[in-house]
Amino acid sequence: MAEPLPDEQVERVLMVTAHPDDVDFGSAGTVATWTRKGIAVTYLVCTDGQAGGFDDDVDRAEVPRIRRDEQRAAAARVGVHDVRFLGHVDGELVVTADLVAQVSATVREVRPQRVVAQSPERDWGFLPRSHPDHLTAGEATVQAVYPAARNPYAFPELLDRGLQPWEVTDLWLVAHPSATHAVDVTDVWEDKMAAILSHESQHPDPVELDRRLREGFTAQAADLGLAEGRLAEAYFVVRI
């Protein structure tokens, strides 16, 4: 089992997700613990979440703007102010050289010691965690982290833009079927929920959502050996 790089050795983190709100469901508590330590966190969101929502009265043409605004508001709740969007279409994300190049460019721009992405491995035990867009965003990020972002001869147009190669040390995968590392988020749970509930267009029943999430993250903490009653976000950690 790989041990994560100590937070004291991390100055910058890049979080890559498929949709607005993915980072908040999976990792907003972890992000809050990092920003409180002075770690700079950047979000890269691959799609604009055009297929999300529940209100038929909302003009679908407005959904990308709404979801971007909600993600920026959610990020601010946990101390993140650098939020970037690639603008791909929700439900149509596929691994292409262009997508890997876009993620690689962001890695080279941000120069993070740690990258957090969605798992490219499907979790058959709880299939909703493995939305096809999640798998795609995860696979593109893995390919960017190793080898593209560190290889000066991959995507030479990035060098033309002045983006020098960068080696990521730590890769954390969310929603992996075999989590190896827990972050205790009990003390920042309210921050996490504030971030999630910033996505107002996605949540018709916020009270039930909090109850359901508490159950899930309590069970996750127990599975990874935390004390009774604690809440945890879980990751599969890869040292590169």
Side-chain angles (χ1 to χ4, degrees):
M1 181 175 67
E3 289 294 325
L5 189 70
D7 287 348
E8 293 73 21
Q9 298 178 29
V10 178
E11 298 177 0
R12 297 173 300 280
V13 175
L14 174 64
M15 318 282 294
V16 184
T17 63
H19 311 109
D21 82 10
D22 288 348
V23 67
D24 301 302
F25 276 103
S27 300
T30 301
V31 170
T33 68
W34 289 339
T35 59
R36 288 184 178 191
K37 295 176 180 179
I39 297 173
V41 179
T42 297
Y43 291 173
L44 179 66
V45 184
C46 295
T47 80
D48 286 332
Q50 296 93 329
F54 59 89
D55 187 348
D56 290 340
D57 293 330
V58 173
D59 181 352
R60 300 309 298 180
E62 285 294 300
V63 170
R65 179 194 59 77
I66 291 169
R67 301 215 62 188
R68 288 191 181 205
D69 288 347
E70 289 175 342
Q71 183 61 88
R72 292 188 187 98
R77 292 284 192 168
V78 290
V80 175
H81 305 286
D82 184 2
V83 183
R84 309 180 187 196
F85 301 91
L86 294 180
H88 293 278
V89 177
D90 186 355
E92 299 180 15
L93 197 65
V94 293
V95 180
T96 62
D98 285 345
L99 180 59
V100 176
Q102 289 176 318
V103 179
S104 299
T106 307
V107 171
R108 293 189 186 190
E109 289 172 348
V110 174
R111 303 176 78 78
Q113 290 80 25
R114 176 175 295 156
V115 169
V116 183
Q118 290 158 303
S119 173
E121 297 182 48
R122 185 171 270 112
D123 184 353
W124 292 109
F126 185 43
L127 195 58
R129 301 173 78 188
S130 302
H131 186 292
D133 285 351
H134 296 184
L135 303 178
T136 296
E139 179 60 31
T141 304
V142 172
Q143 291 186 28
V145 166
Y146 187 86
R150 63 175 54 201
N151 183 354
Y153 307 112
F155 305 117
E157 68 273 15
L158 299 184
L159 283 179
D160 295 339
R161 292 166 51 188
L163 298 175
Q164 296 298 317
W166 179 257
E167 294 187 7
V168 174
T169 301
D170 235 8
L171 175 63
W172 291 27
L173 299 176
V174 182
H176 191 280
S178 302
T180 58
H181 180 67
V183 176
D184 190 327
V185 298
T186 311
D187 295 338
V188 293
W189 183 258
E190 297 307 320
D191 294 330
K192 176 181 176 70
M193 287 307 305
I196 290 173
L197 294 176
S198 294
H199 300 275
E200 295 180 8
S201 68
Q202 307 302 300
H203 305 309
D205 189 351
V207 174
E208 173 61 19
L209 179 65
D210 183 83
R211 183 199 65 77
R212 179 168 55 84
L213 290 177
R214 281 182 180 273
E215 288 182 358
F217 284 90
T218 299
Q220 197 160 252
D223 288 344
L224 288 164
L226 274 67
E228 183 178 355
R230 305 304 287 180
L231 299 149
E233 294 171 345
Y235 304 91
F236 184 86
V237 175
V238 181
R239 288 290 293 273
I240 303 167

